[in-house]
Amino acid sequence: MAVKKAWEGFSKGFMEEVQRWGSMKQTGVSLRYMMEFGSRPTPRNLLISSQFLHKELPIRIARRAIELDSLPYGLSHKPAVLKVRDWYLDSFRDLRSFPDIKDNNNELEFTQMIKLIKVRHNNVVPMMALGVQQLKKDLNPKIDYHYLDEIHQFLDRFYMSRIGIRMLIGQHVALHDPSPLPNCVGYIHTKMSPVEVARNASEDARYICLKEYGCAPDVNIYGDPNFTFPYVPTHLHLMVFELVKNSLRAVQERFVDSDKVAPPVRIIVADGVEDVTIKACYFTILSLIENQVSDEGGGIPRSGLPRLFTYLYSTAKNPLNEQSETDVQTVTTMAGYGYGLPISRLYARYFGGDLQIISMEGYGTDAYLHLSRLGDSQEPLP
């Protein structure tokens, strides 16, 4: 059965509305603003939050729906990408069909609706990855994917926008929790321990490695477990999980036939003297926490480094080659999708941080994850 085209089944008036909303200006927020506003989840503040989302979400979703319709190299016409477009168009229609929010009953109904929208978009990342794989099958296998800049730039914008949309929805929904965990403001933990999050993420990565290979290198974590700062634990968990998973795979595959014991992966969480000093200056624009993940997995050839943050490259066999659209969301493997590192970098940049990879071929790789401590930077709005 053929997948319907982007605008099929929608009226001309609806298409014009998508275009009109997609041309409107987006409004970014900061981690600090989310934290301060969410610290008082009164009915009035929840009403204000829902009214903001009622206008903001259609703008962001419309922009992505429009862009999904004009991608280069025929990517827009791949079945998986068409499916994602339908999700965005359906969500835009749901948001625009919802009446103005005037009281708390409206607010509660709106909150339930956007919760369902968030669920609808749960599998956007693997589905888009499948679309990219469908494109790769049609391209010349000798093409240098590093030079397909239009696709790379689109996917950066698309995934960054998705991070923001899910953060806004998730934060609003979480503020309705009648019994929030201590020090939690929605998705934000005001006293998050990066060492504790790194430990949990590492355990999850080792579990996947054990499942895949039957064994897994140790992960040694260095840092003060009592050091805390405001951040979104789920974001940090995702980033550390991805980095540790990559390191475990590299080390395990390098030492699989060796008589030597596989060396451990090392995670260093550093809160430097400068950071402590800057921490005291509450209004300082930028303060960085550095999380270093190091391995002895043989390193990455210098020629491969520029491609690490593209969406058309992976050093591992791609599991999507053997998967259909119906079961793509259920696959959990050590590697191969080709989007783990670039999306992890987007998560870091979403709140003003960054991710850098430094490799020594023949020895190993260091990944530096920089996180903005105070969260003063605005969302990057693609």
Side-chain angles (χ1 to χ4, degrees), residues 309-370:
F309 292 105
T310 76
Y311 299 91
L312 295 167
Y313 171 76
S314 175
T315 57
K317 180 182 178 182
N318 196 307
L320 293 172
N321 290 336
E322 302 170 0
Q323 302 300 324
S324 68
E325 290 182 22
T326 55
D327 59 8
V328 65
Q329 66 267 33
T330 64
V331 183
T332 303
T333 65
M334 282 299 287
Y337 295 102
Y339 59 69
L341 284 177
I343 286 186
S344 293
R345 185 170 67 174
L346 294 180
Y347 270 97
R349 289 178 172 178
Y350 179 67
F351 282 130
D354 207 355
L355 172 62
Q356 296 174 308
I357 305 293
I358 300 174
S359 184
M360 182 183 294
E361 186 176 5
Y363 178 71
T365 302
D366 290 346
Y368 292 89
L369 180 60
H370 307 284

Side-chain angles (χ1 to χ4, degrees), residues 69-88:
D69 193 43
S70 56
L71 302 179
Y73 305 103
L75 182 57
S76 287
H77 304 293
K78 299 306 174 189
V81 176
L82 287 169
K83 185 180 289 289
V84 173
R85 276 192 291 198
D86 282 346
W87 292 340
Y88 274 76

Side-chain angles (χ1 to χ4, degrees), residues 46-334:
L46 292 175
L47 183 63
I48 293 171
S49 174
S50 64
Q51 290 169 340
F52 168 73
L53 294 180
H54 190 229
K55 181 178 180 181
E56 182 66 19
L57 291 176
I59 296 173
R60 299 192 184 196
I61 288 174
R63 282 174 173 247
R64 302 287 73 82
I66 292 167
E67 199 167 23
L68 281 164
D69 193 43
S70 56
L71 302 179
Y73 305 103
L75 182 57
S76 287
H77 304 293
K78 299 306 174 189
V81 176
L82 287 169
K83 185 180 289 289
V84 173
R85 276 192 291 198
D86 282 346
W87 292 340
Y88 274 76
L89 290 170
D90 288 342
S91 295
F92 177 83
R93 180 184 55 197
D94 290 347
L95 287 161
R96 291 299 303 135
S97 298
F98 198 91
D100 290 343
I101 302 168
K102 298 178 179 178
D103 57 38
N104 291 109
N105 286 332
N106 297 154
E107 189 276 321
L108 290 174
E109 292 173 6
F110 178 78
T111 299
Q112 290 303 312
M113 184 194 68
I114 62 174
K115 186 188 295 186
L116 294 176
I117 286 177
K118 187 169 181 283
V119 171
R120 173 186 288 150
H121 292 250
N122 277 349
N123 296 318
V124 161
V125 174
M127 194 60 70
M128 284 299 296
L130 180 60
V132 170
Q133 295 307 314
Q134 292 168 346
L135 173 66
K136 284 178 69 173
K137 288 181 180 179
D138 295 340
L139 293 177
N140 186 332
K142 295 181 180 180
I143 194 169
D144 188 341
Y145 297 122
H146 178 59
Y147 292 103
L148 296 180
D149 288 337
E150 288 179 87
I151 289 179
H152 300 150
Q153 291 169 14
F154 156 72
L155 290 171
D156 268 347
R157 292 192 302 270
F158 180 79
Y159 288 136
M160 181 65 85
S161 176
R162 181 178 184 271
I163 291 169
I165 289 169
R166 294 182 73 79
M167 180 66 199
L168 291 180
I169 293 177
Q171 178 69 4
H172 177 81
V173 170
L175 289 177
H176 288 74
D177 186 348
S179 304
L181 295 174
N183 303 311
C184 285
V185 178
Y187 270 11
I188 304 164
H189 196 305
T190 61
K191 295 183 179 180
M192 185 198 73
S193 165
V195 169
E196 181 181 347
V197 174
R199 184 177 295 114
N200 293 333
S202 298
E203 289 173 358
D204 289 347
R206 290 193 78 247
Y207 171 79
I208 299 297
C209 188
L210 284 166
K211 188 176 177 181
E212 185 97 356
Y213 297 104
C215 56
D218 290 333
V219 178
N220 295 338
I221 302 175
Y222 305 92
D224 181 2
N226 296 316
F227 164 64
T228 65
F229 73 109
Y231 205 72
V232 180
T234 53
H235 286 194
L236 181 58
H237 186 284
L238 180 149
M239 293 182 281
V240 174
F241 171 80
E242 185 63 36
L243 295 174
V244 173
K245 184 184 68 168
N246 286 349
S247 293
L248 290 173
R249 176 178 67 89
V251 172
Q252 186 61 36
E253 291 185 354
R254 186 185 186 195
F255 286 85
V256 64
D257 295 321
S258 173
D259 294 332
K260 299 179 181 178
V261 177
V265 171
R266 297 175 298 279
I267 301 177
I268 303 169
V269 180
D271 171 33
V273 174
E274 183 180 65
D275 290 324
V276 172
T277 303
I278 294 175
K279 184 179 179 182
C281 302
Y282 188 72
F283 290 104
T284 300
I285 293 177
L286 185 62
S287 172
L288 295 177
I289 311 302
E290 293 189 0
N291 298 269
Q292 178 183 359
V293 180
S294 303
D295 69 57
E296 295 176 33
I300 301 165
R302 189 167 61 176
S303 61
L305 285 174
R307 295 188 290 176
L308 282 179
F309 292 105
T310 76
Y311 299 91
L312 295 167
Y313 171 76
S314 175
T315 57
K317 180 182 178 182
N318 196 307
L320 293 172
N321 290 336
E322 302 170 0
Q323 302 300 324
S324 68
E325 290 182 22
T326 55
D327 59 8
V328 65
Q329 66 267 33
T330 64
V331 183
T332 303
T333 65
M334 282 299 287

